[in-house]
Amino acid sequence: MALISLGLEGTAHSFGAGIVTSNGEVLSNVWDMLLPKEGGIHPREASQHHAELGPDIISRAFDEAGISPNEIDIVAFSRGPGLGPCLRVTATMARAISLALKVPLVGVNHCVAHVEIGCFESGFDDPVTVYVSGGNTQIIAFAGGRFRTFGETLDIAIGNMLDTFGRIVGMRFPAGPIVERQAKEGSKYYPLPYSVKGMDLSYSGMLTAAKKLYDDGVPLEDICFSVQETAFGMLGEIAERAIAHTKKRELLLTGGVARNNRLTEILEGVAARHGAQFHRVSPPLAGDQGAMIAWTGLLQHQAGDHLEVSESYVLPKWRTDAQDIIWRS
Ligand code: AMP
Ligand code: MG
């Protein structure tokens, strides 16, 4: 009999509930994102969004899956990393469900879940993963029992950089797709800080410089073009170094920024040069959602990795490489 897992995701502005079976069927994947009227995400407002909409999103996930709550075998939740108030609200719902339905509770690392759902969709065993989103920018690969972070941003995430730049120039949130559309119209390259430090990168200097170009009256489409070429070129460089040194045969692109076609094109080129397969996670599974938590929770559950409710405190700074990945050999 296949096991059925409910996964709750609530690390930042999105709350999601997904139901997945151990046969690899995604039965439902419902989510909602807080759209701030102005400015960025306020952790308290995001947690209130999750508390208000969470129960209804969970009910809808059951309805769409066509199962009743007492059919689930486990409940998994995003334990970290993320915004403390959001994590706590989500964990509280998961604990209540675990106690009420008497099903095991599993704490999932959000970044690990992005990698595992990408492997689930692509059939990849052991990829180098480029995980790019509103809050994270990491190059991840499995080595020595853990998902190692081979490189990451030293300051802001790439999605955050795109969204903040967009806000400055009057785009609505999320600005990533709007920057992509504008960039298609641009053609003149304006140099921006290309900040690769070893395997790490930095995006805050680029944000300041792009804002200055805007203040100087450079056409917006050319700034967007230049931002994309520089920001994605940096990612391409460290992804290529990771592939070259680890000699892995698969390159996976995941996270909300994976929707970007220009970034995809650059990474496809990297994979082709090294004879590696490439996969970009499809939009429904690329951003933050519950199915990735449900699926990774199942992998952990089947390996015997559970949490007692009394021990299920959240881990806002849980690093990708701080968890023993006992379900992979
Ligand atoms: P996530 O944090 O995984 O939910 O992803 C959201 C982030 O993805 C936001 O920063 C968006 O601006 C970004 N994003 C979504 N679509 C695109 C796109 N086509 N190009 C670049 N960034 C994007
Ligand atoms: Mg994410």
Side-chain angles (χ1 to χ4, degrees), residues 196-200 236-246 270:
V196 171
K197 300 163 198 244
M199 285 294 284
D200 293 326
E237 180 187 330
I238 61 167
E240 181 149 14
R241 212 154 34 237
I243 279 276
H245 283 278
T246 61
V270 168

Side-chain angles (χ1 to χ4, degrees), residues 11 110 114 131 133 136 255 287-288 292:
T11 53
H110 174 91
H114 273 292
Y131 165 36
S133 70
N136 291 285
D288 292 350
M292 69 177 187

Side-chain angles (χ1 to χ4, degrees), residues 52-314:
E52 279 163 25
L53 300 189
D56 183 53
I57 290 172
I58 295 169
S59 303
R60 277 164 52 205
F62 280 113
D63 290 346
E64 283 185 24
I67 64 164
S68 72
N70 55 30
E71 287 177 79
I72 63 169
D73 296 286
I74 67 162
V75 56
F77 71 103
S78 53
R79 194 180 183 195
L83 305 171
C86 301
L87 293 171
R88 283 189 286 276
V89 163
T90 306
T92 303
M93 287 187 251
R95 288 180 200 121
I97 292 169
S98 167
L99 292 171
L101 300 176
K102 300 190 174 58
V103 292
L105 181 67
V106 183
V108 172
N109 181 299
H110 174 91
C111 306
V112 167
H114 273 292
V115 178
E116 288 293 4
I117 200 70
C119 290
F120 163 88
E121 187 183 72
S122 59
F124 284 179
D125 278 335
D126 187 21
V128 166
T129 301
V130 177
Y131 165 36
V132 278
S133 70
N136 291 285
T137 304
Q138 301 183 342
I139 308 283
I140 304 164
F142 187 75
R146 293 192 175 189
F147 282 113
R148 308 288 169 179
T149 310
F150 279 75
E152 65 191 317
T153 180
L154 296 171
D155 42 55
I156 55 174
I158 187 162
N160 188 358
M161 184 270 289
L162 296 171
D163 293 335
T164 307
F165 172 71
R167 191 163 73 223
I168 290 166
V169 303
M171 294 173 186
R172 61 175 194 283
F173 179 87
I178 308 171
V179 170
E180 178 171 20
R181 247 177 280 137
Q182 287 279 337
K184 277 215 195 80
E185 309 298 319
S187 56
K188 186 162 172 358
Y189 181 78
Y190 289 82
L192 289 166
Y194 182 100
S195 316
V196 171
K197 300 163 198 244
M199 285 294 284
D200 293 326
L201 17 87
S202 153
Y203 285 117
S204 63
M206 184 180 307
L207 179 60
T208 309
K211 179 177 179 299
K212 178 151 192 316
L213 290 180
Y214 184 73
D215 291 341
D216 290 347
V218 171
L220 187 56
E221 60 271 22
D222 288 334
I223 307 175
C224 292
F225 173 76
S226 305
V227 163
Q228 286 209 154
E229 291 308 303
T230 314
F232 301 158
M234 288 159 54
L235 273 170
E237 180 187 330
I238 61 167
E240 181 149 14
R241 212 154 34 237
I243 279 276
H245 283 278
T246 61
K247 301 197 165 48
K248 297 202 190 272
R249 314 307 309 150
E250 299 157 342
L251 183 61
L252 180 69
L253 174 60
T254 190
V257 183
R259 296 188 181 93
N260 189 285
N261 291 326
R262 179 61 184 136
L263 175 59
T264 301
E265 195 174 71
I266 289 173
L267 294 179
E268 271 170 349
V270 168
R273 276 196 292 285
H274 292 268
Q277 283 181 277
F278 175 79
H279 181 79
R280 144 160 76 170
V281 177
S282 66
L285 296 179
D288 292 350
Q289 29 70 37
M292 69 177 187
I293 303 297
W295 175 248
T296 310
L298 271 173
L299 299 175
Q300 289 180 233
H301 168 73
Q302 288 170 319
D305 188 352
H306 301 121
L307 265 183
E308 293 301 322
V309 167
S310 58
E311 298 286 310
S312 64
Y313 50 85
V314 299

